[in-house]
Amino acid sequence: MAKASGTTTVAVAGRQLALSNLSKILYPETGTTKGEVIDYYSRIAPVLIPHLAGRPLSLKRYPEGVAGQGFFAKNVPNGAADWVRTERLPAPGSTKNRDEIDYVVLPPDDGDALATLVWLANLASLELHVPQWQVGPRGGVRGTDLLVFDLDPGAPATVVECCAVALRLREVLDDDGLTAVAKTSGSKGMQVYAAIKPAEPGRTSDYAKAVAQQLEHEDPTRVTSVMRRAVRPGKVFIDWSQNNTAKTTVAPYSLRARPAPTVSTPLRWDEVAACERPEELVFTFGDVLARAADDGDLFLDLLTRERPALPRR
């Protein structure tokens, strides 16, 4: 390791990286530094990388910390080394009217994936967001292979009410032959996922919308499938639209840009069923490292279970 003018040079899986301003505080409320953020991402990498690999990354960067101005970055950041994998992909719905974007795409779990993750953390990429589809080894866009429901509570509803909706979602998906897993958003809500055989664009959105509308019909006083804020107070909004191929969802094990370094944390279903207070499902990066050491990857089903075909509704 070598230091020069505020920069520390480290070797990560055989790659040389210049890390800067490691003592810079990115989370003022807890005094969490950039060095601690990099340490978290390097240590959680074994369970995180498999969920990022092959998926174009959208980064939410906070160079001045969470108290400063953050911004989404889809195009590969400046200064990327030639060993950082990038893919030029169509950019439907780009806010900057670009037809294509050069995305960072982590390779499968190898040294370059870890080195890329550390490089991105050094750029204060606190949040990592990915779509529900992958690109192949030669850059071809594959079908949607994940189904996601984003559960967003409208105050005074909280994640406790989200848990009740998640349990019902699990039952509906199970009846359709799909195996659900759940995670906190790292903010105020949670997400429910299921792995599926790659499907044509639009099929997952249609299916997710139909399921969301079913749950709204069953319990209209507590659930809505409509995004309009006027109808959401006191209800759980089931956001089915994140299945759109142009949209992304925060990755499991990603930090969030909240006052404290909370993490989008995979859950056991018994934790979901037992939740009585919102603080029971708030996990910081230290909590998540301990959980991963004890339980491994609670989202492993998304990677290893046989993928059933998405049913029609």
Side-chain angles (χ1 to χ4, degrees):
M1 179 183 295
K3 276 190 176 182
S5 61
T7 298
T8 301
T9 302
V10 298
V12 179
R15 302 296 188 183
Q16 296 294 310
L17 295 175
L19 307 182
S20 61
N21 301 316
L22 296 180
S23 61
K24 186 169 189 176
I25 293 176
L26 297 184
Y27 290 87
E29 185 173 287
T30 56
T32 304
T33 65
K34 194 210 288 193
E36 291 175 294
V37 166
I38 294 172
D39 179 69
Y40 167 71
Y41 273 124
S42 64
R43 292 170 63 192
I44 204 66
V47 293
L48 168 60
I49 287 173
H51 295 287
L52 300 179
R55 300 185 190 274
L57 281 170
S58 293
L59 313 169
K60 198 162 188 184
R61 296 175 56 189
Y62 286 83
E64 301 305 321
V66 297
Q69 185 67 43
F71 60 94
F72 264 109
K74 295 190 175 186
N75 215 48
V76 58
N78 293 332
D82 57 7
W83 47 262
V84 173
R85 182 189 175 191
T86 63
E87 295 290 350
R88 181 163 294 176
L89 300 170
S94 169
T95 58
K96 296 184 178 180
N97 297 317
R98 292 176 291 197
D99 295 327
E100 295 179 317
I101 289 176
D102 292 320
Y103 288 91
V104 174
V105 180
L106 265 62
D109 191 7
D110 65 8
D112 283 349
L114 175 59
T116 301
L117 190 60
V118 171
W119 172 65
L120 293 173
N122 183 59
L123 296 176
S125 304
L126 299 184
E127 297 191 6
L128 308 173
H129 296 246
V130 290
Q132 318 315 322
W133 48 271
Q134 300 185 56
V135 296
R138 292 184 293 277
V141 175
R142 294 176 170 173
T144 303
D145 62 356
L146 292 177
L147 175 72
V148 63
F149 297 87
D150 185 28
L151 308 183
D152 185 11
T158 68
V159 74
V160 176
E161 285 73 26
C162 290
C163 286
V165 175
L167 291 168
R168 177 61 185 136
L169 262 176
R170 184 192 187 194
E171 293 175 347
V172 172
L173 296 179
D174 184 66
D175 288 344
D176 280 350
L178 305 178
T179 300
V181 292
K183 67 179 178 71
T184 70
S185 68
S187 181
K188 60 180 180 176
M190 62 190 301
Q191 287 103 23
V192 175
Y193 285 76
I196 58 173
K197 284 184 179 178
E200 291 295 317
R203 283 264 290 119
T204 48
S205 286
D206 291 343
Y207 174 85
K209 182 178 181 180
V211 170
Q213 290 175 332
Q214 174 186 332
L215 268 66
E216 179 182 38
H217 179 75
E218 291 176 358
D219 194 356
T221 63
R222 294 197 300 173
V223 177
T224 180
S225 65
V226 178
M227 188 175 292
R228 291 196 311 275
R229 294 200 174 274
V231 303
R232 288 165 59 179
K235 298 183 181 182
V236 174
F237 169 46
I238 303 179
D239 186 355
W240 47 268
S241 72
Q242 291 190 29
N243 294 282
N244 185 309
T245 55
K247 292 194 175 184
T248 61
T249 308
V250 67
Y253 305 106
S254 172
L255 286 164
R256 299 307 304 269
R258 305 290 291 174
T262 54
V263 173
S264 183
T265 306
L267 299 169
R268 300 188 306 272
W269 280 110
D270 64 324
E271 293 178 297
V272 178
C275 181
E276 296 181 346
R277 301 185 311 277
E279 55 268 27
E280 294 173 12
L281 296 185
V282 176
F283 304 98
T284 63
F285 65 71
D287 301 324
V288 171
L289 287 169
R291 287 168 65 87
D294 290 342
D295 301 328
D297 180 12
L298 293 178
F299 252 35
L300 193 61
D301 269 358
L302 292 186
L303 305 172
T304 59
R305 185 175 289 272
E306 182 179 352
R307 295 176 177 272
L310 186 69
R312 293 192 177 276
R313 279 183 163 257

